[in-house]
Amino acid sequence: MGSPPVIDGAFARWLAARAGQALIDLRSEMGFADAGALRSAGDKVSHDLIRTELAKWRPDDAVLSEEDEGSRLAWAAEVNAEAVSRLTADRVWIIDPLDGTREFSEEGRSDWAVHVALWSRTAPTPHGLIAGAVGLPAQQRVLGTDYPPAYPPATVEAAAPGGRTIRLAASRSRPPVFLTDLAEDVGAHLVPMGSAGAKIAAVVTGEVDAYIHAGGQYEWDSAAPVAVATATGLHASRIDGSALRYNEADPRLPDLLVCRQDLASRLLAALQRHSG
């Protein structure tokens, strides 16, 4: 694919595409007979590729990757030296080399992703994300902040008189326990999907109207998708309405809401009623 572009957003897109192609090739090479082996190999192949390219092209930047040893630990110098570097750095790449390993290991599934995001200390937004790309290799597309998608067309359709049906992306394996009640409250239809990246990408493209998660995540699960979503003009916040923040000492970021701007107040009010 030649040399990577200079601009960070384009570089994130290039990197997500490179890793995505490596994962597609790995799927073809290994097949699906041993799902566990395929998942492990996928995590390693993508992580190693992204780490190598970042070391080559962005050597002065810090990195937070899901596959780094100790990545889930809250910062403590004696146990997590990598965190010392990222917490004092001006720029940090937050990556999930393979979001949705379960879906990746299942033949025919395309709802898995590669996340590449860049956080900057001087960013003008609370989340601090200045570039990002979500690779959807099995869908043959990459969504990025360098060319953010147009604001998604409305998919909300008339239901009962005075009501509307909202398409709400939900985890196919770990949906928040309150989500069914919330969906009934706001007149939403749950749409099961795989990885967080695939679900937020579906909001970005207008395939669904919102995604709510409250079952526990880390920064790498949402950084790149949130970067793209907010560049597109969508709402993204914690489920209590507070700002999402990245490159924190504790990388846990357990909940979020990504949705159309016109649905944000309605969904946040419903979350206040049901998520407590």
Side-chain angles (χ1 to χ4, degrees):
M1 290 190 180
S3 300
V6 174
I7 300 171
D8 289 319
F11 175 67
R13 179 185 292 272
W14 176 85
L15 195 49
R18 286 275 325 265
Q21 187 58 55
L23 288 167
I24 291 291
D25 293 345
L26 181 68
R27 259 182 152 193
S28 298
E29 176 187 337
M30 291 187 65
F32 300 90
D34 189 337
L38 181 58
R39 288 193 292 267
S40 296
D43 279 332
K44 178 173 173 50
V45 163
S46 185
H47 172 79
D48 289 351
L49 185 154
I50 293 172
R51 270 295 203 167
T52 297
E53 297 297 346
L54 285 173
K56 179 179 181 181
W57 299 106
R58 298 292 191 274
D60 296 329
D61 295 347
V63 180
L64 172 61
S65 169
E66 179 184 16
E67 298 305 314
D68 285 330
E69 183 177 358
S71 62
R72 287 171 170 77
L73 298 176
W75 174 74
E78 67 272 19
V79 297
N80 196 358
E82 186 71 31
V84 177
S85 171
R86 71 176 178 84
L87 291 176
T88 58
D90 290 330
R91 291 161 45 100
V92 181
W93 292 90
I94 304 174
I95 61 174
D96 189 343
L98 176 52
D99 182 55
T101 53
R102 175 179 173 180
E103 290 73 25
F104 171 74
S105 67
E106 296 179 10
E107 188 171 8
R109 294 207 69 95
S110 63
D111 48 348
W112 51 276
V114 176
H115 297 178
V116 180
L118 176 61
W119 173 93
S120 171
R121 190 172 303 281
T122 59
T125 56
H127 61 43
L129 303 170
I130 61 169
V134 179
L136 300 158
Q139 300 177 31
Q140 299 183 327
R141 59 180 174 173
V142 180
L143 306 178
T145 56
D146 57 334
Y147 294 104
Y151 194 81
T155 60
V156 177
E157 301 172 352
R164 299 196 301 174
T165 299
I166 299 169
R167 291 172 56 85
L168 181 60
S171 171
R172 60 188 287 246
S173 58
R174 300 185 304 277
V177 294
F178 63 83
L179 201 55
T180 300
D181 290 341
L182 183 146
E184 183 176 353
D185 183 359
V186 300
H189 170 63
L190 296 182
V191 182
M193 293 184 184
S195 78
K199 289 192 279 285
I200 297 175
V203 184
V204 170
T205 59
E207 296 164 62
V208 298
D209 301 296
Y211 168 51
I212 295 170
H213 185 83
Q217 287 183 346
Y218 291 84
E219 291 186 9
W220 49 77
D221 291 306
S222 63
V226 163
V228 177
T230 52
T232 302
L234 293 163
H235 170 91
S237 71
R238 301 288 299 272
I239 63 173
D240 64 359
S242 62
L244 294 161
R245 298 186 184 277
Y246 293 88
N247 196 37
E248 296 291 294
D250 187 340
R252 288 177 294 181
L253 189 54
D255 59 77
L256 81 162
L257 164 67
V258 178
C259 67
R260 298 176 55 84
Q261 289 284 357
D262 54 306
L263 295 176
S265 60
R266 182 178 175 188
L267 291 175
L268 286 169
L271 281 162
Q272 190 171 31
R273 293 191 294 271
H274 293 282
S275 62

